[in-house]
Amino acid sequence: MAASEELARRVVEAGRSCSLTFDGYDWSAVSWPEGMGRESLLALDFVERREDLVLMGDVGTGKTHMASALCALACERRLEARFFTASSLVMRLRRARDDGRLDREAALIGKARLLVIDELGFLPLDADGARLLFQVFADAYERQSVVITTNLEFSRWGSVFGDDQMAAAVIGRIVHHGRLVQFRGESYRVRHALMQEG
């Protein structure tokens, strides 16, 4: 099997391992920016243009589901994609640095056409973690599409990075070629919880 065929097989296989797809996805909480809608999202037009997406809004409204399904869809279409929570990405980069292979790890992450960073702001970053994550955003700028999920408005990202200037630099890169998709509504998990009163 040729190397390109092997890579394509691995990419498609990685997409199959994602458990979330758009089958049955509840689009009711999604508020689209001008010039974008469901059809262009599913066509992955933003990936072709190396645009970023920030999926921002209420907890439990489908941000992570959408990001994971986009990752799976990209893999099905033979586009390399990587999915990380912000905290797992920082831990992975720390391990790589400690093992003397940070450049190699950054290059692997940089090969993906689509990079998903889930749950930005759910766990605070220390200064070292913030610098490592900043470097990922700096390296991805105009080279990859990045999808970020967060429940924090941009004005609160300084608390995530522990530095307003670093947060501003990340935001500047993301908004330059990016779109904000907002999510509003009641949590899907709360609506469908087994622990319901009455």
Side-chain angles (χ1 to χ4, degrees):
M1 180 180 292
S4 61
E5 289 176 12
E6 173 61 16
L7 176 61
R9 184 195 64 72
R10 285 191 358 245
V11 167
V12 171
E13 195 59 37
R16 286 193 188 116
S17 69
C18 293
S19 59
L20 298 175
T21 69
F22 284 110
D23 293 340
Y25 184 78
D26 180 1
W27 299 91
S28 63
V30 181
S31 176
W32 300 102
E34 189 166 333
M36 183 178 201
R38 185 189 316 190
E39 295 77 25
S40 63
L41 180 84
L42 296 177
L44 299 178
D45 293 342
F46 72 98
V47 176
E48 294 303 320
R49 293 188 299 265
R50 294 185 182 118
E51 293 176 349
D52 301 323
L53 295 180
V54 177
L55 312 182
M56 181 186 292
D58 299 333
V59 172
T61 51
K63 300 180 301 296
T64 295
H65 186 149
M66 180 183 282
S68 179
L70 285 170
C71 198
L73 188 61
C75 290
E76 284 172 19
R77 295 186 186 161
R78 298 179 181 229
L79 300 172
E80 193 167 347
R82 305 286 301 266
F83 183 102
F84 301 98
T85 63
S87 60
S88 71
L89 178 55
V90 168
M91 285 189 293
R92 184 182 192 102
L93 293 168
R94 268 198 184 113
R95 273 195 309 271
R97 185 195 55 209
D98 294 347
D99 294 344
R101 53 183 182 77
L102 182 58
D103 288 344
R104 235 175 327 165
E105 187 66 36
L108 281 173
I109 292 167
K111 284 172 126 182
R113 296 277 304 279
L114 175 63
L115 175 62
V116 176
I117 301 175
D118 190 35
E119 298 180 346
L120 183 70
F122 278 61
L123 296 173
L125 301 172
D126 61 15
D128 178 56
R131 283 191 296 274
L132 287 167
L133 191 56
F134 171 80
Q135 195 58 54
V136 171
F137 285 113
D139 292 347
Y141 180 60
E142 295 188 328
R143 294 187 186 117
Q144 297 171 276
S145 287
V146 181
V147 173
I148 301 151
T149 72
T150 184
N151 63 342
L152 298 180
E153 296 175 357
F154 289 129
S155 62
R156 296 175 59 198
W157 283 26
S159 65
V160 175
F161 287 91
D163 181 298
D164 289 339
Q165 287 186 327
M166 192 181 305
V170 169
I171 292 165
R173 284 167 171 81
I174 292 166
V175 301
H176 184 213
H177 299 297
R179 296 174 185 263
L180 176 63
V181 181
Q182 294 188 295
F183 292 71
R184 295 284 179 252
E186 183 184 9
S187 166
Y188 176 89
R189 292 181 289 273
V190 170
R191 274 196 331 259
H192 295 91
L194 293 175
M195 286 188 207
Q196 295 279 343
E197 287 189 38

